[in-house]
Amino acid sequence: MSELFELLIGEGIEEEEEEFGWQERALCAQTDPESFFPEKGGSTREAKKVCLACEVRSECLEYALANDERFGIWGGLSERERRRLKKSAV
């Protein structure tokens, strides 16, 4: 029974690492997080510049859309831009 439990737990951890492993490779994890959550009316230019060079940009955007992230720059898009994208996809 113990081995089965450990096997199931191990599979769950692997699935979670696979699902969220992209976050470890994200360039934003290596930069100032405040630039990705600017105050209302603040510039998003620097955050979007980082996103353009990020290898996991599409995974990030997919995560934000799937989880209805309402704040910050995700996958190179602001909340308003993500909302527009969702509306155009419907």
Side-chain angles (χ1 to χ4, degrees):
M1 182 83 155
S2 171
E3 289 178 25
L4 178 60
F5 181 74
E6 288 178 24
L7 179 63
L8 291 173
I9 294 296
E11 286 179 11
I13 291 171
E14 286 177 20
E15 287 174 10
E16 188 171 309
E17 285 177 358
E18 187 176 308
E19 186 176 346
F20 297 108
W22 62 267
Q23 292 176 346
E24 292 176 8
R25 298 188 324 271
L27 289 179
C28 61
Q30 303 165 29
T31 59
D32 180 15
E34 287 186 30
S35 64
F36 292 88
F37 296 92
E39 292 185 24
K40 189 170 184 159
S43 176
T44 60
R45 191 176 323 138
E46 288 303 312
K48 289 181 176 185
K49 192 175 177 182
V50 171
C51 291
L52 284 174
C54 187
E55 70 178 69
V56 295
R57 181 177 175 194
S58 60
E59 290 93 331
C60 180
L61 180 57
E62 185 178 315
Y63 173 85
L65 294 171
N67 292 282
D68 199 29
E69 287 291 342
R70 303 220 172 167
F71 302 101
I73 305 300
W74 291 82
L77 300 181
S78 68
E79 190 270 335
R80 180 179 290 155
E81 292 165 328
R82 290 191 304 276
R83 209 172 337 134
R84 267 190 246 135
L85 182 64
K86 279 181 111 170
K87 282 182 183 180
S88 69
V90 173

